[in-house]
Amino acid sequence: MAMITADPQDVPKVESFSFTPESMAKVNALIANYPPGRQASAVIGVLDLAQRQQGWLPRVAMDEVARILEMAPIRVYEIATFYTMFQLKPKGRYLLQVCTTTPCWLRGSDHVMKACQEAADGVTFSVQEVECLGACVNAPVVQINDDFYEDLDAASTRRVLDAFRRGETPAPGPQVNRQTSAPEGGPLTLKGE
């Protein structure tokens, strides 16, 4: 169990971190995917496991990843600070990652962002702006933890967030009458043999 103390930047200081036996088995499985001496190649996967276990990535978790992978800690910090998938401070139960790049912005991501910011309380919801989530055809898009919610507007974003607040898990994917990235209402071509 990690012991947490207050830090001047409002980020709790975690005194210790170690992988649970279940997580360590996954770490070892990731490392086994690479040739001997190349275990550092597993760094993103191992950081992800540390974050999933802790809920975020404190420095001691990054140090443990560096120790296990026999890497200089600075190399692990560089990776953890580069990718937006890694959270360097505690976040709410649901992380709302709002894409605001051009396709999403053109289709109203600013309204989606506002709805997410209004819901953000740091306990249930945390929000962050991210670069392209790669679902441009179904813009605007929000990644909530591991799932993508697409074709959003302010009202549908609020409906999705209200469902999470009630303890429900709304169906990910398009929030309009669309199958994957087909046109709304269904396919228009190749309908028959």
Side-chain angles (χ1 to χ4, degrees), residues 13 20 41 68 83 112 125 128 130 160:
K13 182 170 169 71
T20 64
S41 299
I68 289 168
Y83 292 102
V112 172
F125 298 114
Q128 85 182 80
V130 295
V160 167

Side-chain angles (χ1 to χ4, degrees), residues 4 56 64 72 74 103 126 133 135 150 152 155 160 173 179:
I4 300 175
W56 61 289
E64 180 65 2
I74 189 63
S126 293
L133 290 170
E150 306 159 352
L152 294 166
V160 167
Q179 179 185 17

Side-chain angles (χ1 to χ4, degrees), residues 137-153:
V137 72
N138 294 10
V141 178
V142 175
Q143 182 177 347
I144 302 177
N145 292 351
D146 291 332
D147 293 318
F148 283 62
Y149 292 83
E150 306 159 352
D151 293 304
L152 294 166
D153 58 21

Side-chain angles (χ1 to χ4, degrees), residues 6 12 18 21 27-28 36 43 60 75 82 86 92 102 113 124 147 159 164 185:
S18 61
V27 167
N28 289 331
V43 67
V60 293
R75 297 292 175 229
F82 179 79
F86 297 120
T102 305
M113 175 63 90
T124 303
D147 293 318
R159 282 193 299 275
F164 277 112

Side-chain angles (χ1 to χ4, degrees), residues 98-100 104-119 127 140-142 152-158 161:
V98 182
C99 177
T100 58
C104 285
W105 176 75
L106 287 171
R107 298 211 50 212
S109 67
D110 49 344
H111 302 294
V112 172
M113 175 63 90
K114 184 176 181 196
C116 289
Q117 288 171 330
E118 289 169 354
V127 64
V141 178
V142 175
L152 294 166
D153 58 21
S156 60
T157 300
R158 287 186 192 99
L161 300 181

